[in-house]
């Protein structure tokens, strides 16, 4: 993977001939989101990655991050923003899977026959005036969210994080790129 950064953010350009599900360079998507798979497929990575759910307890982390966000609204010296929230979610999702793989807690995550594994985590949030609108749980929840958004400007932030595990160097873990768009 080649990461190109610009003032507008980072762009991930794949060297798809180098990546495969079971080759020396492996890509794992730490999400079961159909939209995330669709995006990777559109990038030319169809059948060149595998999907594994992150073991991260997202609800617990979202509660913690919401508390940081609320504290930031009350204290101007603390500048935790919805963009920070999104980036932290993406990084945490990928990192939790990386640590599970490195710790060898499940055979399903054994990738030590590969030279290098890239783990991609991503998350998207809706930001309405600095407040995060969490994923809806049912149709009533969705109707309530749509009524809040109706006639109001809002932002949608997507965080992306890519970690690399170098299996040839004692499973060294490196955050390759992390950004929010």
């Amino acid at each position: 993977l080649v990461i190109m950064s610009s003032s507008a953010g980072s762009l991930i350009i794949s060297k798809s001939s180098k990546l495969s599900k079971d080759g020396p360079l492996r890509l794992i998507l730490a999400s079961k989101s159909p939209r995330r798979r669709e995006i990777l497929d559109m990038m030319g990575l169809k059948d060149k990655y595998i999907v594994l759910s992150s073991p991260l307890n997202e609800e617990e982390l979202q509660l913690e991050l919401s508390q940081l966000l609320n504290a930031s609204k009350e204290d101007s010296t603390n500048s935790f923003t919805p963009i920070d929230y999104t980036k932290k979610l993406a990084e945490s999702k990928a990192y939790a899977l990386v640590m599970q793989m490195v710790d060898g807690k499940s055979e399903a995550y054994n990738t030590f026959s590969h030279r290098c594994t890239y783990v991609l985590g991503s998350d998207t949030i809706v930001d309405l005036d600095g407040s995060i609108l969490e994923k809806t749980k049912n149709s009533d929840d969705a109707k309530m969210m749509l009524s809040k958004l109706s006639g109001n400007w809002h932002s949608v932030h997507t965080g992306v994080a890519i970690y690399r595990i170098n299996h040839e160097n004692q499973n060294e873990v490196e955050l390759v790129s992390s950004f929010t768009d």
Side-chain angles (χ1 to χ4, degrees):
L1 296 178
V2 175
I3 311 296
M4 296 179 63
S5 295
S6 71
S7 60
S10 297
L11 175 65
I12 303 166
I13 300 174
S14 65
K15 292 185 175 182
S16 58
S17 63
K18 305 274 186 197
L19 289 173
S20 70
K21 289 180 181 180
D22 50 11
L25 300 179
R26 185 179 208 185
L27 176 62
I28 298 175
L29 175 61
S31 170
K32 290 212 175 188
S33 163
R35 180 67 180 140
R36 308 259 184 265
R37 290 194 305 267
E38 181 183 5
I39 290 168
L40 289 180
D41 291 351
M42 289 188 310
M43 289 176 60
L45 295 171
K46 186 173 180 70
D47 298 324
K48 295 189 179 280
Y49 63 93
I50 63 170
V51 177
L52 296 174
S53 289
S54 173
L56 178 70
N57 182 336
E58 282 188 60
E59 288 182 13
E60 186 176 299
L61 180 59
Q62 287 171 327
L63 181 61
E64 180 184 320
L65 295 177
S66 292
Q67 290 170 348
L68 283 173
L69 197 57
N70 291 334
S72 183
K73 289 178 189 175
E74 296 170 10
D75 177 7
S76 60
T77 62
N78 179 358
S79 62
F80 191 77
T81 66
I83 290 171
D84 299 323
Y85 179 107
T86 311
K87 186 176 175 184
K88 182 67 175 171
L89 272 176
E91 288 175 356
S92 298
K93 192 179 285 189
Y95 190 73
L97 182 57
V98 164
M99 287 296 96
Q100 191 174 49
M101 291 168 61
V102 168
D103 291 344
K105 295 202 175 177
S106 171
E107 285 301 311
Y109 302 108
N110 185 351
T111 62
F112 301 109
S113 60
H114 308 284
R115 269 193 0 239
C116 186
T117 298
Y118 292 92
V119 178
L120 173 65
S122 184
D123 212 294
T124 299
I125 59 118
V126 176
D127 168 8
L128 179 63
D129 299 325
S131 295
I132 306 299
L133 300 182
E134 302 294 349
K135 293 176 184 137
T136 59
K137 296 181 182 5
N138 54 46
S139 61
D140 288 339
D141 207 17
K143 288 175 190 173
M144 187 170 62
M145 181 187 284
L146 289 173
S147 69
K148 282 183 181 180
L149 292 172
S150 182
N152 293 307
W153 285 96
H154 64 279
S155 299
V156 177
H157 307 290
T158 297
V160 176
I162 301 173
Y163 281 88
R164 177 177 46 227
I165 306 170
N166 183 344
H167 302 295
E168 293 181 328
N169 190 16
Q170 300 177 348
N171 295 321
E172 173 187 56
V173 174
E174 174 189 9
L175 177 61
V176 175
S177 183
S178 175
F179 60 92
T180 302
D181 196 24

